[in-house]
Amino acid sequence: MLRNKPVLRAPVTSAIWTADTSYSYQLNAKCQDFITRYLRQSLCNPDDPNMAHVNRGLLALAFTHPYLMHASLAVALARYSAETINHLYRATSLFHERLKTPVNPTDKDAIWGTAAAITLLSFAMPEATVPEESWPLAPSSSSDLSWLNVGRGKMSLWIACNPLEPDSIFSIMAATYAQMDTPIPKSGVRGIPSALAHLCHLDEASTAESNPCFESAHALCFIQSIPGSEITVGHTEMFIRTIKGRFETLLRRKNPVALLLLYLWYRKAGSSVWWIELRARVECPAIHMCLQQCTQSQSNILNLLPLEVRIGR
């Protein structure tokens, strides 16, 4: 007769899932660690208490909204692991399916948070990994500046999600959203250095209607006037929102003046916002080389082009 027969016990598990009615995903130990650090400590901007508040709210939502969980994991892993591609693919696929149905009030914050994360990643992950293959030096393509379209897609959800509603976890970011809409002067060159104003053909009579570089030059000089430690995402968005219409056309055609404005913005914004820095590290050297190649006889552009290609802190 057998004595002391061992008792089989269920294995100890710390399984954590994200799931809704149609999809579920189990987080491994690495994912658990990164999602906790990202959404609890706010890797996007660790010094911003408002962002920390938002991320705590997103952490609670991520376990019942898989598209948000995958998008958050993609952001959390973006600087550390190739797994970010897998999570971004899953997030985008699930998110597109979700957007085929009306936005429910209980899903607004999860949808807005996911759209923001996907937009961030579209910027942080340039198509080229080396400057020589980046769009300023490569043959023109319809995919150039594709991150602009992703950002516009996010903003198309603004009314449906209304992140400024009092019950939204994003309402605490009202001041940051207001910074995005900081008014640009109606006319003139106040705040723009004379050399840059001359290069952009701006004078006291200039307006957004008369000059395609007007708004972008003003937005650039506004952010350049702010100390790097005080720059927020809202400040950086001011310039991005000016990339439209005729100025966007100039950029796509690789107009030297438009490229210089983008280059100078990259240098300033990339020193304060990590996902801008990731793209700037590839595109700044590309723009620098492009301008040196195509403007050898235009000393006014080269004089404003810093000799050192320096991005980041």
Side-chain angles (χ1 to χ4, degrees):
M1 181 173 64
L2 295 175
R3 295 182 180 180
N4 299 324
K5 184 177 180 180
V7 178
L8 297 178
R9 298 180 182 274
V12 176
T13 179
S14 58
I16 295 180
W17 296 79
T18 176
D20 56 18
T21 57
S22 60
Y23 177 89
S24 62
Y25 180 83
Q26 183 178 353
L27 278 67
N28 59 29
K30 181 178 181 179
C31 287
Q32 292 178 37
D33 174 53
F34 271 81
I35 198 65
T36 300
R37 285 199 282 154
Y38 167 57
L39 289 181
R40 282 189 181 167
Q41 298 179 18
S42 183
L43 294 183
C44 283
N45 192 346
D47 298 323
D48 187 345
N50 291 340
M51 197 66 233
H53 167 85
V54 168
N55 278 2
R56 286 193 293 270
L58 292 177
L59 178 62
L61 291 171
F63 296 101
T64 53
H65 297 82
Y67 48 85
L68 173 61
M69 178 63 83
H70 282 298
S72 299
L73 283 168
V75 173
L77 294 164
R79 292 180 290 178
Y80 308 101
S81 172
E83 293 175 36
T84 192
I85 299 294
N86 174 49
H87 288 293
L88 177 58
Y89 173 80
R90 290 172 182 258
T92 303
S93 178
L94 292 169
F95 194 50
H96 285 171
E97 285 299 313
R98 176 60 189 84
L99 293 181
K100 291 179 181 178
T101 58
V103 175
N104 299 320
T106 55
D107 294 336
K108 286 182 177 182
D109 283 345
I111 289 174
W112 185 253
T114 302
I118 291 175
T119 300
L120 182 158
L121 287 164
S122 75
F123 198 101
M125 301 169 63
E127 296 75 10
T129 57
V130 294
E132 291 77 10
E133 297 176 359
S134 186
W135 69 271
L137 290 172
S140 296
S141 166
S142 59
S143 64
D144 294 346
L145 303 173
S146 59
W147 52 269
L148 281 173
N149 294 328
V150 179
R152 289 164 183 162
K154 180 192 77 171
M155 294 310 299
S156 71
L157 296 169
W158 178 273
I159 294 177
C161 294
N162 196 357
L164 293 182
E165 282 188 339
D167 61 346
S168 170
I169 63 174
F170 292 98
S171 61
I172 198 171
M173 303 295 294
T176 298
Y177 290 127
Q179 290 169 346
M180 299 179 186
D181 294 321
T182 299
I184 288 175
K186 298 292 184 182
S187 62
V189 292
R190 184 176 182 179
I192 301 178
S194 57
L196 184 62
H198 177 74
L199 179 66
C200 295
H201 302 291
L202 294 170
D203 56 32
E204 292 300 334
S206 297
T207 65
E209 290 71 30
S210 67
N211 190 304
C213 294
F214 177 85
E215 291 185 330
S216 300
H218 273 287
L220 167 66
C221 293
F222 178 82
I223 193 174
Q224 286 184 327
S225 70
I226 302 173
S229 60
E230 298 176 16
I231 290 176
T232 69
V233 174
H235 295 136
T236 66
E237 281 281 342
M238 276 187 65
F239 182 86
I240 291 176
R241 292 191 176 196
T242 70
I243 304 178
K244 59 187 179 182
R246 292 181 296 159
F247 182 72
E248 181 179 346
T249 298
L250 290 177
L251 267 184
R252 293 186 181 279
R253 292 177 178 174
K254 304 172 185 177
N255 172 271
V257 175
L259 284 176
L260 177 66
L261 293 176
L262 179 62
Y263 177 88
L264 295 174
W265 174 80
Y266 268 141
R267 281 175 58 92
K268 182 68 175 186
S271 66
S272 300
V273 181
W274 68 264
W275 65 86
I276 295 178
E277 178 186 348
L278 291 181
R279 181 171 288 269
R281 285 188 178 278
V282 176
E283 294 192 2
C284 257
I287 294 174
H288 196 277
M289 287 186 279
C290 179
L291 291 178
Q292 287 184 316
Q293 292 173 8
C294 68
T295 60
Q296 288 297 328
S297 61
Q298 299 183 44
S299 59
N300 52 350
I301 290 180
L302 296 178
N303 288 340
L304 292 174
L305 185 66
L307 295 177
E308 180 187 6
V309 183
R310 178 180 53 81
I311 302 296
R313 285 146 282 188

